[in-house]
Amino acid sequence: MFIAMALLIILRLLDLQVLNTKYSLMADEQGKFRKVIYPDRGILYDRNGKAILRNTIIYDLMVTPSKLKGMNLDTAALCRILDIDTTEFRKRIVTAIIKNRSYRASVFEALLPPEKIARINESMYKFVPAFYLQERPIRDYPYNAGGNILGYLSEVDSSFIKHHESDGYQIGDYAGRTGLERSYEKVLMGQRGIEFWKRDNKNRLTGRFENGKYDTAAIAGKNLHLSLDINLQMLGEHLMENKIGAIVALDPKTGGVLAMVSSPTYNPALLAGAERRKHFSELFLDPRLPMINRTVNAYYSPGSTFKTLQALIGLQEGVITTSTRFLCTGAFYGCGKPMGCLDPGDFNLKGAIAVSCNTYFANVMQKVINNPEYGTVDSNLKVWDKYMYAFGLGHKLGIDIPTEKGGLIPTPRTYNRMYGEGHWNFCTFKSVSIGQGEVNVTPLQVANEMAYLANKGWYITPHLVDSIEGGDIYGMLDSFKTKHHPLSIPDTLFDAVHDGMQGVMETGTGSAAKVPGIVVCGKTGTVENYYKGVKQKSHAFFAAFAPRENPRIAIAVICENAGFGANSSAPIASLMIEQYLKDSIPEPDRKAKIETLAKLNLMPERIYEALRIRDSLRNAKNNLDNIEKGFIKTAKDTSDIEDDEAVSDSLYKLKNEPQKNVQNTSLPKKNENDVKENEKAILPENKKRIDTTHLIK
């Protein structure tokens, strides 16, 4: 009997300790703590070696729901520290279980501010083992600039993991959602590490398990070196205050982006700290659309900046020469209904570019489209299309910003759909000859057009990242090393266009925007635009490159609804060119010009109207449906932002928070020198807004 009992005990011990791993795992789990070590993301440096995006440390509060069972948790104390109620506590636990199973650690509250960390540390013994603090590197922005370029991070959810299942993400990880953070996520993210710690019977960490024998080190992400000049970027953002529009500046020899300003913009640090979700929803729902990168997302008619390309096509096709003259008596009458021109006269090519004569370039395009060499109007338009595509228009250029749009160059198919096959000719789309009508471009494409002209027939795909430390193992930069030389156009023809563009700055429409001591080739543009059939105040466009010999910068500036380009966009470009080429703006009068332009309020009346609508609806909770169905869809469609839990989570909070009357105070008051036209809101109408005036730059 004793022998049988001994054998039974031995067999049971064998089962518990050798054959069955359940209790061994439970013992290990009780005595060990598995700590994830998140790596530092790669640092971003500007062209002069300044760190413009780096890392700092913050903490997440993590929870493992299964460990709450049988634990005498002081829930009330934790809720007081986190400033939540027990209902919210239970909701977060359920969410953690649904998202990540009960036995896995999930983020209970992300990115804790210092005061909460201090209070939790004082009482942490009350919350273990279910809760612990997880160290987390987050982004730090020393220059408070480039929000639309750099992008932001957010915690991955099940949907993100599903769409990126081969990349090894886990709940609790953060990933880039927009900008360079998204484009270069693969090299910026690094690799997670694991540390195993021993715990005593009171769940206190006592030391590394087996002296770190089983630990794996975190590997930091790779650093990126950009073509961006952060000083130039900050100047551009300052000059574009109180305006809606964009600036793109490129190095024509390399394709590197020197500055990329979308206005209004936002402080990128707002999307990195403890208040990230709150700020995200505020920015996302703002009628000024600060999160949209207008440099690559917004479409505009190029206006008279387009005439430089029309001249090049006319010269190359042989329908005009540099000495060809056209008489303008006040309008182009070649199609019956006159198309007005501001400066009557008898012009050759140089003079026509300098004064931006509509009649001249309508005649040029008419000759191109009716050229007997190619037979039909349809065939001639196809030839014209090939030129425009070669110049980089009508398609995405391939910049390393993930939301680039392609623009529109009309084709025979465009007009066949609009008017029917055989029912259109040049007079149907004569406005295209002066950069209006069915042609649409992005500011990036216009800047690249200037680089193409500056280089006399070639360009390199615009890009922000010049190099990746440790090597480009994924070939992410390969497309930025090739010269695109799509056409064989003699340098003499480019010289003729350059003569006209230099004339713009010396005696023509851009003479008020000269840069002291620098020969600039530029082109102004005043762009008509309509909304729901109602004519709006014209957009102000300016594009240029400098210096004429050995160009080092190509630039495009647009100010929406700002009127004549020479009054706003041109002087802004002038100061940007001077800052980059001289590395400073030394003359007092030029320095004073910076502040004058920065204070110039060109915010369209439609924006004020949208803000007034927002404020008037602040107390109407039922209008939150309009946010979800209307404005969010518009913002997502335009910015191509991936789904983010911050949107739905913030909307939930908005629906349940006490509503207050909010007064808009950030925009400067209009005066008699500002825009006076009563422009309709070019936005989804009557959408509820929350006050974001303190966020916008």
Side-chain angles (χ1 to χ4, degrees), residues 5-56:
M5 290 178 65
L7 288 173
L8 186 62
I9 292 171
I10 291 170
L11 289 172
R12 182 58 176 158
L13 290 172
L14 179 68
D15 177 58
L16 292 175
Q17 297 186 34
V18 179
L19 301 178
N20 192 327
T21 60
K22 174 182 176 182
Y23 294 100
S24 175
L25 291 173
M26 289 177 65
D28 283 345
E29 180 66 19
Q30 181 65 25
K32 286 192 301 186
F33 173 69
R34 181 180 181 273
K35 182 179 181 182
V36 177
I37 306 300
Y38 288 100
D40 285 343
R41 286 180 71 86
I43 298 171
L44 273 61
Y45 298 94
D46 86 333
R47 67 187 300 107
N48 298 310
K50 298 176 181 177
I52 61 174
L53 179 55
R54 56 193 185 189
N55 302 294
T56 188

Side-chain angles (χ1 to χ4, degrees), residues 140-242:
D140 178 48
Y141 303 87
Y143 290 97
N144 182 17
N148 297 102
I149 301 171
L150 301 175
Y152 70 91
L153 306 175
S154 69
E155 184 184 354
V156 302
D157 54 20
S158 55
S159 175
F160 185 94
I161 292 173
K162 182 179 179 181
H163 286 95
H164 302 82
E165 57 185 346
S166 62
D167 295 330
Y169 289 101
Q170 300 176 6
I171 293 294
D173 291 349
Y174 277 59
R177 294 301 183 112
T178 60
L180 294 176
E181 293 277 28
R182 177 175 166 188
S183 297
Y184 291 91
E185 169 70 14
K186 187 180 292 187
V187 296
L188 287 171
M189 64 184 292
Q191 296 180 25
R192 293 181 298 272
I194 302 293
E195 290 180 356
F196 294 95
W197 290 74
K198 293 184 291 186
R199 290 196 290 206
D200 61 18
N201 61 347
K202 294 184 179 180
N203 287 302
R204 293 174 299 193
L205 300 182
T206 59
R208 301 287 277 273
F209 181 75
E210 295 287 339
N211 293 319
K213 178 180 178 181
Y214 300 104
D215 294 353
T216 56
I219 301 175
K222 293 187 176 183
N223 300 332
L224 305 182
H225 293 268
L226 311 185
S227 56
L228 193 77
D229 185 317
I230 193 60
N231 290 332
L232 190 66
Q233 177 74 22
M234 290 192 295
L235 174 63
E237 292 187 9
H238 183 48
L239 290 168
M240 289 298 289
E241 289 176 10
N242 306 314

Side-chain angles (χ1 to χ4, degrees), residues 87-135:
T87 301
E88 176 66 14
F89 178 90
R90 287 191 293 270
K91 178 194 168 192
R92 293 186 186 186
I93 295 298
V94 171
T95 301
I97 294 171
I98 293 172
K99 286 171 56 177
N100 204 26
R101 308 287 180 87
S102 64
Y103 55 86
R104 291 178 180 165
S106 299
V107 177
F108 187 79
E109 181 154 334
L111 310 177
L112 294 166
E115 60 274 12
K116 285 187 179 180
I117 293 173
R119 292 166 63 192
I120 287 175
N121 271 326
E122 289 179 1
S123 308
M124 198 66 205
Y125 67 93
K126 299 178 182 179
F127 313 132
V128 294
F131 290 88
Y132 67 92
L133 289 172
Q134 172 71 61
E135 199 174 81

Side-chain angles (χ1 to χ4, degrees), residues 290-537:
M291 293 191 70
I292 289 176
N293 188 345
R294 289 175 168 85
T295 64
V296 293
N297 291 152
Y299 287 160
Y300 302 97
S301 294
S304 295
T305 62
F306 201 57
K307 293 172 181 174
T308 55
L309 301 182
Q310 298 283 37
L312 205 56
I313 296 173
L315 291 169
Q316 177 68 3
E317 285 298 307
V319 298
I320 62 167
T321 67
T322 56
S323 59
T324 298
R325 306 184 77 88
F326 291 107
L327 177 65
C328 175
T329 59
F332 172 69
Y333 294 98
C335 291
K337 184 179 179 180
M339 183 169 66
C341 192
L342 294 177
D343 294 287
D346 185 19
F347 301 107
N348 61 9
L349 180 66
K350 178 180 178 180
I353 294 175
V355 301
S356 198
C357 178
N358 289 346
T359 297
Y360 190 97
F361 292 98
N363 276 292
V364 171
M365 188 173 184
Q366 186 175 40
K367 285 180 173 293
V368 170
I369 296 301
N370 294 333
N371 190 349
E373 182 176 344
Y374 302 106
T376 66
V377 172
D378 186 287
S379 298
N380 280 305
L381 184 57
K382 287 179 180 177
V383 171
W384 182 86
D385 287 334
K386 289 180 181 178
Y387 277 102
M388 290 301 170
Y389 277 77
F391 297 152
L393 305 182
H395 59 90
K396 295 180 182 180
L397 290 168
I399 190 173
D400 47 355
I401 291 288
T403 58
E404 182 190 5
K405 306 299 183 186
L408 173 66
I409 292 296
T411 66
R413 185 180 177 186
T414 305
Y415 296 121
N416 286 339
R417 287 200 306 264
M418 292 174 66
Y419 304 106
E421 191 169 350
H423 292 83
W424 54 271
N425 54 35
F426 167 73
C427 290
T428 311
F429 56 88
K430 64 181 183 295
S431 60
V432 169
S433 64
I434 59 171
Q436 298 277 177
E438 291 75 36
V439 58
N440 281 309
V441 298
T442 65
L444 173 68
Q445 290 173 333
V446 179
N448 188 66
E449 168 196 327
M450 291 296 110
Y452 177 85
L453 292 172
N455 293 330
K456 298 183 179 179
W458 61 269
Y459 68 89
I460 295 175
T461 300
H463 56 279
L464 282 147
V465 175
D466 278 342
S467 64
I468 302 173
E469 281 190 15
D472 182 18
I473 61 175
Y474 299 110
M476 302 178 79
L477 307 181
D478 289 349
S479 62
F480 308 135
K481 300 174 183 177
T482 303
K483 283 186 180 181
H484 298 282
H485 203 301
L487 301 169
S488 181
I489 299 176
D491 285 1
T492 53
L493 302 189
F494 284 99
D495 288 335
V497 175
H498 292 182
D499 287 342
M501 295 176 70
Q502 184 174 338
V504 168
M505 305 304 293
E506 293 178 349
T507 60
T509 55
S511 57
K514 294 178 182 178
V515 180
I518 297 172
V519 177
V520 178
C521 292
K523 188 71 192 77
T524 56
T526 304
V527 183
E528 292 184 355
N529 61 101
Y530 293 78
Y531 177 67
K532 293 184 177 181
V534 179
K535 188 174 182 179
Q536 309 293 302
K537 191 177 181 70

